[in-house]
Amino acid sequence: MFTIITSEPAGRRLPFFLCPGGRLSCRRAEGVSFAVLRISNPRRINWRRIVRRLGSSSQRVLLGAGIQPPPGGSVQTVDVRRYSHMLARNGLRRLLEQNRHRLQAGTAVLIDLQGKHWDFSDLLLPFFRTVRIVTGREEQYCRYAAARMEDCGAAVLVGSRLSGPADLYVSPDGVFFPAMETGRVPVIVTAEPETELQAPVYSAFQADTPADLRLAPADVDPHAFQAALLEHCGLGRLAGLLPSRVKRGGQTLSLEEAAESLWGQSDASRDEK
């Protein structure tokens, strides 16, 4: 169970003193359930009262537009990182499938310093002649490379430094080396970088909410809502959603537009070599 905190529609708002802790209701549909707390004035929130009212679910909250959590961590928003990782992986697979004929002789570089993104490495291998892995867990990945060479003849190179040309960088954790920040080679990351970079960075893959799950108030971020359904309602089918859009810099692209853009950037990077 998680809780959405949102404001009452303008025409239905009650005076603050009549509803200081908000109006709490439960939504059950399509095998999921969550609570909705509607507050009368988002600028005057009695967070102490709300935390007492929500109990443990105050650690699993989605916030409507314009509502900020109080300092101190008494209210925690839903963690979207695992779901964002899944959508980035699904989106990257589709991008590579649409560019297979141009990338199969190329090189992909996976930045995985902690050695926890084996799924991205497995994803890259069918599309590239060479996959280089930059990691701080070289011993683990060397065993992985040997196994892949034996199983499918894949060329997996492992090291702790970024070196050599590349056709694609994949950095799920958003780790950037200087050569990646200023180059023209596309970079795939999970979360949108905090600062704008010169390189073409593709991030923040997002999917449309299935029609039967469009249950959240309009001011709630659909991506966060989907993540909450996955994490706290066990709706595993969301893990297989194909993203419909992705960000590149400050621009939102459809996945089809991103595939064309990635193809163009890949060709440009080859021309420079």
Side-chain angles (χ1 to χ4, degrees):
M1 174 74 77
F2 62 94
T3 299
I4 294 174
I5 301 178
T6 184
S7 60
E8 289 276 16
R12 297 181 56 192
R13 291 181 182 175
L14 297 176
F16 176 76
F17 64 88
L18 291 180
C19 202
R23 291 152 46 104
L24 187 64
S25 61
C26 188
R27 186 74 188 268
R28 293 185 175 89
E30 305 302 329
V32 303
S33 63
F34 56 92
V36 178
L37 180 66
R38 296 187 181 274
I39 57 177
S40 58
N41 189 340
R43 294 185 297 276
R44 298 181 61 192
I45 301 176
N46 188 329
W47 284 110
R48 184 175 298 178
R49 184 187 293 269
I50 285 178
V51 169
R52 288 200 304 267
R53 193 169 189 184
L54 297 185
S56 63
S57 73
S58 65
Q59 303 298 297
R60 302 181 298 277
V61 165
L62 298 180
L63 299 174
I67 301 176
Q68 298 295 325
S74 58
V75 171
Q76 295 286 332
T77 56
V78 171
D79 190 342
V80 304
R81 288 175 294 182
R82 189 169 78 102
Y83 183 57
S84 296
H85 178 102
M86 293 175 179
L87 288 190
R89 185 183 58 206
N90 297 348
L92 176 58
R93 179 182 289 109
R94 176 56 63 91
L95 293 177
L96 297 181
E97 287 173 347
Q98 294 183 341
N99 288 285
R100 181 187 296 270
H101 62 294
R102 296 185 177 275
L103 300 174
Q104 60 189 1
T107 297
V109 176
L110 173 65
I111 313 298
D112 184 13
L113 301 185
Q114 300 300 317
K116 60 183 180 181
H117 297 304
W118 310 85
D119 52 345
F120 275 98
S121 180
D122 286 339
L123 171 60
L124 293 169
L125 286 173
F127 296 97
F128 293 90
R129 180 175 58 192
T130 304
V131 173
R132 288 205 306 272
I133 299 171
V134 179
T135 182
R137 305 293 179 88
E138 291 185 66
E139 183 176 346
Q140 295 179 13
Y141 262 117
C142 283
R143 292 195 296 268
Y144 169 88
R148 289 297 177 269
M149 176 65 75
E150 183 176 343
D151 292 344
C152 56
V156 181
L157 307 179
V158 180
S160 59
R161 296 183 179 182
L162 188 68
S163 63
D167 297 273
L168 179 70
Y169 293 115
V170 178
S171 182
D173 294 324
V175 175
F176 287 88
F177 291 90
M180 299 165 57
E181 295 180 358
T182 59
R184 298 180 63 183
V185 177
V187 184
I188 305 292
V189 300
T190 299
E192 189 174 4
E194 295 182 359
T195 58
E196 187 172 348
L197 303 174
Q198 180 179 332
V201 179
Y202 296 79
S203 66
F205 290 80
Q206 297 197 6
D208 295 327
T209 304
D212 61 326
L213 295 175
R214 294 172 188 169
L215 308 170
D219 65 339
V220 173
D221 176 45
H223 181 73
F225 180 64
Q226 294 164 22
L229 293 177
L230 175 70
E231 297 291 347
H232 303 297
C233 295
L235 214 61
R237 63 183 169 108
L238 294 176
L241 287 182
L242 180 67
S244 59
R245 56 199 178 276
V246 60
K247 285 190 176 181
R248 187 189 66 190
Q251 183 181 13
T252 298
L253 306 176
S254 70
L255 207 62
E256 291 72 21
E257 290 171 333
E260 295 176 4
S261 173
L262 182 68
W263 166 81
Q265 294 290 352
S266 296
D267 278 358
S269 67
R270 284 194 183 88
D271 292 342
E272 291 180 343
K273 297 175 186 177

